[in-house]
Amino acid sequence: MVKPAPFVSVDPQVWQDGIHDVRRDYPCHGNTSFVWDANLVPDTYKLGSNQSVAIQASKVHGGGSCQISFTYDRNPKPESLFKVFKSFEGACPGSGDDTADPQEFLLDFRVPANISGGNGTLAWTFFPRLPRAGPLVSMFMICAPVTLENPNQENTGSAVQSGQEAWVALPDMLRANIYNECDTVANADTLFPDPGPDYNQRALGGSVMFAFPTGTSCPT
């Protein structure tokens, strides 16, 4: 992810790998290894505005499914609540063969207009269609600090309560393939149990199948 500007990690390799150890790497490929770049200015999104996440990658792992989510926690922890702004089922971030040079993919989404403003963390999560080795499936998660700005500047008690209720009503971000008794299906594009009202399903023809994740802790 190159837009918004992601957290800077001590080890850049964490952005290239899936989450292998949930105790160390979730959320955001290991929050404890993040350091703030003095030149990093968080992006500001107005509530109700149209935005985009830019992904730069040479490997697309056969495509897959992605979500763009947000938490009000600036330094997210395993218990942080990420809520979904938009889901992409299939061909995300792209499709086709891997390339020698990085490609850039734009994922458009809309910031909900009825939630509260504030500082927090935007996350792009990716569930590849192709397994990384044998039957093993992965979850990628890149995070960036962002500020949600309320253009109406309304901060009454009723407005805050209404924003919190709208926030809680958004679907939870899918957590899978992180040794949590919930796994996506290899060689299939993931269907999200609750993609939310804003989602994009991009079928690539009859050769690609869709499947819900399986496991005792998967949401239904």
Side-chain angles (χ1 to χ4, degrees), residues 10-11 25-26 31 46-47 63 74 79 81 85 91 93 103 115 117 123 128 133 143-144 148 150 186 215:
V10 173
D11 179 8
D25 298 337
Y26 181 86
N31 181 56
K46 289 185 178 181
L47 299 183
R74 284 299 296 266
E79 61 271 20
L81 183 61
F85 284 174
Q103 308 172 69
I115 62 175
C143 301
L148 302 185
N150 186 348

Side-chain angles (χ1 to χ4, degrees), residues 6 17 31 64 74 116-117 154 162 168 203:
D17 298 332
N31 181 56
R74 284 299 296 266
S116 299
E154 188 176 0
S162 176
V168 170

